[in-house]
Amino acid sequence: MILTVTPNPAVDWTVTTDSFAFDAVNVASGTTREASGKGINVSVALQRNGVPTRALFPAGGGTGAFMTEQLAAMGVEAVAVPSGAEVRTNITLRVPGHAGTKINEPGAALGEDLARRLLDAVRAALTEALAAYDGGVTLALCGSLPPGTPEWFHPALVSLGRELGAAVVVDASGEVLSRALAAGPGLVKPNVHELAAETGRVLDTVGDVVAAARELLARGAGAVLASLGADGMVYVDADRALHGRARDVRVLNTVGAGDASLAGFLAACDGGAEPAECLASAILYASSAVGHATTLFDVDPALRDRITVTAEPDLTLALAEPARG
């Protein structure tokens, strides 16, 4: 069972145009609205692919009602903590020849009272899940924090998960990741740019990524899952460093690919798979996701044969998308 926590949920509004010009009237050829936010995206991907999950998030107003209705329609168990504020809207503009341009609102404030109520909701959901699932429970803390969030929030969630016996995963960046590391999460999932920023390193090769990941291990993480864009993904723990990638994948939309990869990794872990299998599953989910116009996708089993995972990565391999800390 995988519980996701999304402190800053969103309604994703995707607008597609056949062309786009500034200072002009542009006509949409298609539009969709979806319940979103990093943890919610993870839960939706898990649910669509048969993995038990529950999504927790603050929400209010008409957009909050839209979120819960959408998730219920997709069969996703949701715990919406009343916030008294509308959920933010994130806009994605899709134009032929471009992967997608996003405009994200900052989100409603998550003050002391709401943060504590969300923490209490997580405690209750974790306690219930741990009693119901013998196979174990994972708590995934995902995404950015809205304005006003107390500094104690993420460390408290990590500590709560560890205290109750859940595996704890953090998919965040910046100060949020830094504070969470000190509490000792079992896994963190930065992308290559977030990893460079967190360590202050220049990441030009796979070896640079592995070295940066090991720095995060020294700072409290149990393992690191780093997404490298077209260069695949790297997994590092105390015993191993793995590099996986896919070939010949059609890319229509990269929005949500990172969330899909985390869902794939957690789905395999939930089934008791070894790290190499979990990494392959992460890449399978991400490769399936980028072939869809929206964040909703089903895993394409035909892509499995295009994925390779090696336990002896070429540390000298140059990244197509290097990063600077």
Side-chain angles (χ1 to χ4, degrees), residues 182-198:
L187 175 76
V188 295
K189 192 211 155 291
N191 63 36
V192 66
H193 300 287
E194 293 164 347
L195 182 59
E198 184 62 31

Side-chain angles (χ1 to χ4, degrees), residues 158-270:
V158 174
S159 297
L160 173 64
R162 295 186 61 186
E163 170 194 333
L164 295 180
V168 182
V169 176
V170 175
D171 183 1
S173 60
E175 292 183 3
V176 181
L177 175 57
S178 298
R179 290 194 291 265
L181 280 169
L187 175 76
V188 295
K189 192 211 155 291
N191 63 36
V192 66
H193 300 287
E194 293 164 347
L195 182 59
E198 184 62 31
T199 59
R201 292 171 177 260
V202 176
L203 307 183
D204 285 327
T205 67
V206 169
D208 294 334
V209 172
V210 171
R214 286 183 172 142
E215 180 178 326
L216 297 194
L217 298 187
R219 291 172 52 190
V224 177
L225 178 66
S227 53
L228 313 179
D231 295 304
M233 303 189 77
V234 162
Y235 171 87
V236 180
D237 62 21
D239 301 317
R240 61 185 67 79
L242 307 171
H243 180 211
R245 62 197 310 183
R247 66 182 187 281
D248 301 327
V249 173
R250 185 180 70 152
V251 178
L252 288 180
N253 178 26
T254 59
V255 175
D259 304 332
S261 68
L262 180 57
F265 190 90
L266 296 180
C269 288
D270 192 62

Side-chain angles (χ1 to χ4, degrees), residues 7-300:
N8 204 11
V11 175
D12 260 6
W13 181 17
T14 301
V15 179
T16 302
T17 66
D18 295 328
S19 62
F20 180 82
F22 287 100
D23 303 318
V25 175
N26 297 276
V27 178
S29 57
T31 180
T32 61
R33 293 177 189 264
E34 301 167 0
S36 188
K38 291 186 73 66
I40 290 169
N41 293 343
V42 171
S43 282
V44 169
L46 290 168
Q47 174 65 27
R48 287 177 69 91
N49 291 283
V51 181
T53 184
R54 182 177 296 170
L56 296 95
F57 54 92
T63 45
F66 171 82
M67 298 278 291
T68 55
E69 290 167 5
Q70 278 248 312
L71 291 172
M74 291 186 284
V76 177
E77 291 186 38
V79 177
V81 178
S83 67
E86 296 286 344
V87 175
R88 64 181 176 147
T89 296
N90 291 344
I91 301 171
T92 300
L93 175 64
R94 296 187 64 246
V95 181
H98 299 271
T101 300
K102 287 190 70 69
I103 303 172
N104 290 352
E105 290 186 329
L110 183 69
E112 191 83 18
D113 175 67
L114 180 55
R116 292 199 180 278
R117 287 191 286 118
L118 183 54
L119 181 66
D120 289 342
V122 173
R123 182 188 300 275
L126 263 181
T127 301
E128 179 184 338
L130 286 162
Y133 288 88
D134 294 333
V137 174
T138 296
L139 176 65
L141 315 176
C142 303
S144 64
L145 294 180
T149 306
E151 291 187 3
W152 56 259
F153 183 69
H154 258 58
L157 283 171
V158 174
S159 297
L160 173 64
R162 295 186 61 186
E163 170 194 333
L164 295 180
V168 182
V169 176
V170 175
D171 183 1
S173 60
E175 292 183 3
V176 181
L177 175 57
S178 298
R179 290 194 291 265
L181 280 169
L187 175 76
V188 295
K189 192 211 155 291
N191 63 36
V192 66
H193 300 287
E194 293 164 347
L195 182 59
E198 184 62 31
T199 59
R201 292 171 177 260
V202 176
L203 307 183
D204 285 327
T205 67
V206 169
D208 294 334
V209 172
V210 171
R214 286 183 172 142
E215 180 178 326
L216 297 194
L217 298 187
R219 291 172 52 190
V224 177
L225 178 66
S227 53
L228 313 179
D231 295 304
M233 303 189 77
V234 162
Y235 171 87
V236 180
D237 62 21
D239 301 317
R240 61 185 67 79
L242 307 171
H243 180 211
R245 62 197 310 183
R247 66 182 187 281
D248 301 327
V249 173
R250 185 180 70 152
V251 178
L252 288 180
N253 178 26
T254 59
V255 175
D259 304 332
S261 68
L262 180 57
F265 190 90
L266 296 180
C269 288
D270 192 62
E274 293 297 316
E277 298 173 73
C278 296
L279 180 57
S281 179
I283 296 169
L284 174 62
Y285 271 57
S287 299
S288 300
V290 297
H292 289 72
T294 72
T295 56
L296 299 178
F297 72 95
D298 294 312
V299 168
D300 182 358

